[in-house]
Amino acid sequence: MKNTMKWLAVIAFMFAAMSMSAQQKPLKLGHIESDKLIAAMPEMAEARKKLEAKQTEIQTESQNLREQYQNKAADYAKNVNTYSDVIRTSKEQEIQELGQRIQRFEETAMNDLNKTRDDLLHPIYEKATNAIKEVGKENGFTYIFDLNSGGIVYVSETSEDILPLVKKKLGLQ
């Protein structure tokens, strides 16, 4: 019983201390929709262009390989009865190897596209995050919430939207 009373006293003291410190310096809350900030950054438009170009290049090559595969398969189906056993086996192996080559290409291309996306977007997100942190420090915010994170269910009228401040920090309109 004495231990319980001691713990209750400690908890009460902690709440009192937190209440006193909150009274000394009020919380300043801010929020931002980081998606809007990222979309406004010129670096994002350039990154999109590069990603789209790479994606188009990959799609073109993939389509070329698939057409080769379809042509070889159609030729094989058309002439299978005229092939000797050795030629038929060779053609089947050729078609199978081309199918495997397409699969390897698409896996490699997807990994390469993901790496390119990460390489292009990471600096943009890092720049945005750093600008948000700087605005938070410069303007005395206690917390800044990202409304795009999905965890925020309510924003008070007293919470300040810092998007204009961060855009200004980054020289955006």
Side-chain angles (χ1 to χ4, degrees), residues 6-121:
K6 285 181 183 177
W7 281 109
L8 287 175
V10 169
I11 292 172
F13 176 76
M14 287 175 31
F15 279 119
M18 288 184 342
S19 174
M20 288 175 65
S21 68
Q23 290 173 359
Q24 291 173 354
K25 183 180 177 192
L27 296 177
K28 186 172 180 183
L29 304 177
H31 65 274
I32 189 167
E33 292 182 63
S34 61
D35 289 352
K36 288 182 179 179
L37 174 64
I38 298 294
M41 295 172 70
E43 297 94 326
M44 192 60 180
E46 185 63 30
R48 274 194 201 109
K49 285 180 189 174
K50 289 179 180 179
L51 281 172
E52 288 171 2
K54 187 157 194 94
Q55 205 166 18
T56 300
E57 176 186 337
I58 289 170
Q59 287 173 340
T60 300
E61 181 61 22
S62 180
Q63 185 62 33
N64 289 339
L65 289 171
R66 288 182 179 282
E67 286 174 9
Q68 287 177 27
Y69 182 87
Q70 289 171 348
N71 291 339
K72 286 186 184 287
D75 183 57
Y76 174 82
K78 179 180 171 186
N79 299 311
V80 68
N81 294 330
T82 64
Y83 294 147
S84 67
D85 288 343
V86 172
I87 300 288
R88 187 175 60 249
T89 302
S90 174
K91 296 280 185 185
E92 289 170 355
Q93 186 176 6
E94 191 177 316
I95 292 169
Q96 184 180 15
E97 287 173 358
L98 184 54
Q100 291 171 350
R101 183 172 155 215
I102 291 169
Q103 187 176 10
R104 281 192 309 271
F105 170 78
E106 288 179 351
E107 288 172 4
T108 302
M110 188 57 66
N111 290 338
D112 188 42
L113 186 62
N114 287 336
K115 184 183 180 329
T116 300
R117 180 181 296 114
D118 291 345
D119 291 347
L120 290 171
L121 297 183

Side-chain angles (χ1 to χ4, degrees), residues 122-136:
H122 180 74
I124 297 169
Y125 285 107
E126 188 174 9
K127 182 177 179 180
T129 299
N130 289 339
I132 292 168
K133 288 178 182 178
E134 289 174 20
V135 165

